[in-house]
Amino acid sequence: MRIFHPLAFASALFSSLVNAGVTVYYQVPLADSTTTASSANYTGAAAYDPTVLTPPPVPAGLTTQFGIQLSSSSAAVQGLSIPHQGSFMGFSIEFTVVNQIFGINATYLQVPFLNLMAILRERAGEVHIRVGGNTQETAVLVDSLPGGVMMTKERGTTNDVTATPTLLYTAEVLYTMANISALVNTKWFLGLPFNDTSNLRLGIAEVGEAVLSGPGYLLGFQVGNEPDLYAAHGVRPSTYSPSGYYSEFGTVVDAVNNDGDIPVKNNLVAPSITGQWTPESVWDTGLVETYSSSLGALAVEHYPTDNCYALYGIGSPVVPQDVFQHFLNHTSGVNIIAPYLNSTNYAQANGKPFIMMETNTASCGGLPGISDTFGATLWALDYGLQMAYSNFSGAMMHVGGQDVYYNPFTPPPTNQSSYHQWTIGSIFYSTIVVAEVFGPSGNAQIIDLQANTNNMFTPAYAVYENGAPVRLVLMNYVSDPSGASDYTTTISIGGSAIGQGNATPAQIQVKYLVAPSVTEKYNITWAGQTFGGTFQSDGRLTGSESVQTINCDQSSNTCQVTVPAPGVALVFLSTDAYAESGNPSTQTFPTTMATKTVNTATINPSVLATSNGMSGVTWELGSTSKGDIGAGAKNSLSVVSLVGAAVLSTGMLCTWFWS
């Protein structure tokens, strides 16, 4: 079994490597023109669907002038959340698409993905990713696969009504994840196959612990994905119930405890139900009390609606235009979370994190004209902050393949990867804002201010760190190009009105998340920067950053901030708060060279020395496949990238450190 080797392994080679050029394979668009079909005639992949809906009407009687009063001390604030870190909002990536998103193996990594994760890492400190979904249940770890690939699918081998394929994968998947972690500090949840508990397959835990646990990259193992849907999907008897899950969970616990190749015994995650069972029905089995020493976290999964009828003929049709309005107000997130408030309290009482392990706008791939719009950006941001306020410890936005609408990021189809770049979805902007809202300290506590007399179109949140207010999030769901629905709020910190001394600063910094309409798909900017449109991104923000400095009136103890309709203002209440998460010095991985299998370009080691804003001396050494897997892969695919590494004559990848 391969593991991370100590630095001494490379010492004999280091002197010859440190001055060597590194071959870097990039994908970049060539001069290419495309035409967009009307949505009525569109028959292409869901990820690029051009459907545009009609924004809801402007609400009547909207108050556009109101005040926000903040306490200068958290000691006087009732209802603050548990402490959070900027990694709160992460990603749930369907197992079957990791070779498209991460890279074809541990040697050749997708640079756009690294760039996206670097953006979050620089703001949040780390990034949390769950690899799993329906396909984790039927995944089988094998020693090798034809052609040296690390993953393949066998369709038609399961009886699941969602046509989930059997997934065959090699340990290379885990090494790929480890090398990504070494570059951009991602940390991982993995799923244990749970389709056949009479013949458990714990290989992913054995290899996962060996490869990811030592460097601190492994968060835990999910035991079952949506077990409350097993009966409906035909993978358990119709009588399957929480007590049946309790029994099978115990089988997994016993197997893990008896497996010497799984050294960590307390990082299992359960029950990951969707709402067909209530969380309380699972807690009532005694699962948490009985298996507390094995549980690392409690988790659920939830989508507010679904598009399953359109895909599988299951359930009832959902008309996107009819439900769009339900995503465009603060009540949506509040109502989604309400059934879990008892469980977040229960988790706290039992000393366990409570995680939304998989979520997005709609199950079965999302909804056209909603899931990929600025409306979804606002919804996901508000929903995520509401989860944090309600004492969830994290939330994972789901990522699928080309056939879904809700992806935060989508690589181009394989047959277009030599001339198209990635498409960054609207929800990825939400994750950036959440990362800046909480920052890397791990001490950020949030409260829903119920602003503007709790108006559902103008929610606001305050964040406290170390006892003091540090950031404000001001949102406007209204879509009104006239400007008449822009609102101005007057902010006061402390003051005689609440029996405190004046504490409003002389200046504040403000970043804006804006788009022309809630229906906009790509003309979305965060502090003036954007990822562009379909097939236009290498994972780096483009454009000049724009941060507004607003002078406050300390004599009246007030600051005024205007929020456009639609839009979000992130207000930094101190220079320290802005420096902590709002002003990252991200140096990401450039993707400026076009390559096919016969064309390569070299990159100066001095560039890699500070790539991603890291000093090379802080990196850990990683090793990956030996033999001809890397070489074979390089000759078979031209869209992947080798980052900060070289293929040695032995065929092994060695990531080294520039001084």
Side-chain angles (χ1 to χ4, degrees), residues 38 46 60 90 130 154 222 367 398 423 551 553 574 613:
S38 68
R130 172 259 193 151
E154 291 187 344
Q222 186 185 20
L367 294 165
H398 199 53
T423 302
N551 293 319
D553 184 348
S574 70

Side-chain angles (χ1 to χ4, degrees), residues 333-359:
V334 172
N335 288 344
I336 292 170
I337 291 161
Y340 300 113
L341 295 178
N342 180 55
S343 292
T344 59
N345 290 331
Y346 178 78
Q348 292 298 305
N350 283 275
K352 306 297 181 185
F354 192 79
I355 299 167
M356 181 64 74
M357 191 61 74
E358 177 183 327
T359 190

Side-chain angles (χ1 to χ4, degrees), residues 47-48 90-93 97 100-102 112-113 116-117 120 127 129 360 397-402 404-412 422-429 431 537 539:
Y48 317 109
F91 306 101
S92 162
I93 299 179
V97 301
Q100 301 168 38
I101 292 173
F102 298 165
F113 178 72
L116 293 169
M117 297 305 102
L120 298 177
V127 185
I129 299 177
N360 212 304
M397 305 306 294
H398 199 53
V399 184
Q402 303 284 325
V404 303
Y405 300 98
Y406 52 48
N407 281 343
F409 38 78
T410 307
W422 284 38
T423 302
I424 309 306
S426 60
I427 282 179
F428 189 78
Y429 292 89
T431 66
S537 182

Side-chain angles (χ1 to χ4, degrees), residues 20 36 371:
T36 301
S371 299

Side-chain angles (χ1 to χ4, degrees), residues 139 213 256-257 351 401 415-416 480 483 488 500 545 636:
S213 185
V256 168
N257 287 339
N415 62 354
Q416 299 177 26
D480 183 0
T488 299
Q500 296 177 351
E545 186 180 53
S636 64

